[in-house]
Amino acid sequence: MIIDFHVHCFPDALAKRAIHELAERANLYPHSNGTINGTVKHIKDSGVDKFVLLNIATKPKQQRTINDWAISLINDDTVIPFGSIHPFCDDKIEELKRLHNAGIRGIKIHPDYQNFFVDDPCMDCVYEECGKLGMIISFHAGVDLGLSQIVHATPTMIAKAVKKHPGTTFIAAHMGGYWHWDEVLEQLCGINNLYLDTAYCGVTMPVKKAEEIIAAHGADRILMASDMPWEIPSESIKMIKSLNISESDKINIMGGNAEKLLNLI
Ligand SMILES: [Zn+2]
């Protein structure tokens, strides 16, 4: 099974505007129309079986509606929806429990869009509770091309947060920190409760650097991810297949590790 662990889409009524705004801001080309159906088609064309849908509440008032949408997708065959918690909400823990009770497997945190630093103690309660509930936390990591002035989740900050909550499973996107890969090697590689995803690294990351990070962190904690609509999953798969690693490591990165992490096997 091939699983893409990092995909974005939006409710049909919002997709067109959301994709247009994000593409303009980051100067990126969107490879889907941003809807669930449009995304599923591209995903299947790339040979991917399932994908993790990462939702982000960029304002506190969006938290509940975005999570309602995630919950509405819980029985989909292809989509594995994650929820979102906003650091400035007062009901973070109640909302986390609501997501968990509805069967949601994890949450996405994007500190650049949510305007806080990833190791800010205001999120300690959320990071800790996710461990207790068995929910996964996926962090945006490193430079965001749409909001690049201040990096709110550097590998050093992520290391601090992840080490403080050893009972919680975290994922740092973009191979631990987009354009911060030397810092990933120094700060993140080898941390047990941390996975790295390959989102948006299929085309723009130097392959040698990816091989170095995989060797240092362990291929059993790397997850194939595209960051669709910003990268086509077939490009992410092509990059993984081109790596100088064993065939079984490639199979695990493309889906085996994700299947285990999500208890699908
Ligand atoms: Zn993303």
Side-chain angles (χ1 to χ4, degrees):
M1 187 181 299
I2 299 187
I3 299 174
D4 186 334
F5 226 98
H6 188 141
V7 168
H8 303 286
C9 24
F10 305 89
D12 287 359
L14 306 176
K16 198 173 170 187
R17 206 184 78 207
I19 290 286
H20 177 76
E21 280 179 15
L22 290 165
E24 286 258 288
R25 186 186 288 174
N27 201 17
L28 291 171
Y29 176 80
H31 295 284
S32 79
N33 65 2
T35 65
I36 292 277
N37 287 343
T39 304
V40 166
K41 189 197 169 305
H42 279 280
I43 289 280
K44 299 277 177 185
D45 285 350
S46 287
V48 172
D49 299 291
K50 288 179 186 286
F51 67 86
V52 174
L53 167 60
L54 296 181
N55 292 297
I56 305 157
T58 59
K59 297 186 185 96
K61 67 172 190 225
Q62 292 174 348
Q63 181 178 273
R64 194 170 177 99
T65 41
I66 282 186
N67 288 334
D68 284 345
W69 188 57
I71 290 168
S72 77
L73 298 165
I74 197 75
N75 291 319
D76 195 282
D77 283 341
T78 309
V79 184
I80 301 162
F82 271 29
S84 182
I85 296 294
H86 196 288
F88 303 155
C89 282
D90 294 328
D91 59 346
K92 295 191 279 291
I93 298 302
E94 291 89 325
E95 187 67 356
L96 206 51
K97 287 181 179 162
R98 183 172 82 96
L99 289 168
H100 180 253
N101 288 337
I104 298 288
R105 308 300 314 277
I107 56 169
K108 160 83 178 220
I109 303 285
H110 199 315
D112 294 327
Y113 279 90
Q114 296 178 320
N115 202 23
F116 78 108
F117 289 97
V118 75
D119 56 347
D120 190 311
C122 75
M123 284 296 268
D124 277 346
C125 57
V126 170
Y127 299 164
E128 197 59 26
E129 188 68 23
C130 279
K132 287 186 197 148
L133 297 172
M135 291 175 82
I136 302 158
I137 299 178
S138 175
F139 286 141
H140 166 81
V143 174
D144 184 284
L145 294 175
L147 276 177
S148 53
Q149 282 101 339
I150 303 171
V151 176
H152 290 83
T154 63
T156 304
M157 295 172 200
I158 289 172
K160 202 173 141 201
V162 168
K163 286 178 181 169
K164 203 170 173 184
H165 304 281
T168 305
T169 300
F170 295 87
I171 301 166
H174 314 298
M175 288 300 272
Y178 197 60
W179 291 117
H180 283 252
W181 294 304
D182 287 329
E183 197 182 329
V184 171
L185 282 163
E186 263 171 44
Q187 300 290 336
L188 295 181
C189 287
I191 300 180
N192 251 319
N193 56 323
L194 178 70
Y195 287 73
L196 308 178
D197 86 24
T198 67
Y200 202 67
C201 291
V203 178
T204 54
M205 182 175 187
V207 172
K208 284 267 163 285
K209 197 54 81 183
E211 287 169 351
E212 223 180 307
I213 288 176
I214 293 168
H217 193 54
D220 56 337
R221 277 171 295 165
I222 308 288
L223 301 164
M224 196 283 278
S226 63
D227 209 5
M228 183 78 176
W230 314 119
E231 180 172 288
I232 308 172
S234 56
E235 294 287 352
S236 331
I237 292 170
K238 199 164 103 188
M239 185 276 272
I240 291 160
K241 286 187 173 165
S242 78
L243 294 169
N244 187 19
I245 57 175
S246 73
E247 283 310 307
S248 64
D249 282 350
K250 289 179 191 177
I251 289 168
N252 286 335
I253 292 172
M254 287 192 289
N257 296 338
E259 275 186 283
K260 275 189 209 150
L261 181 57
L262 295 164
N263 302 320
L264 298 177
I265 42 172

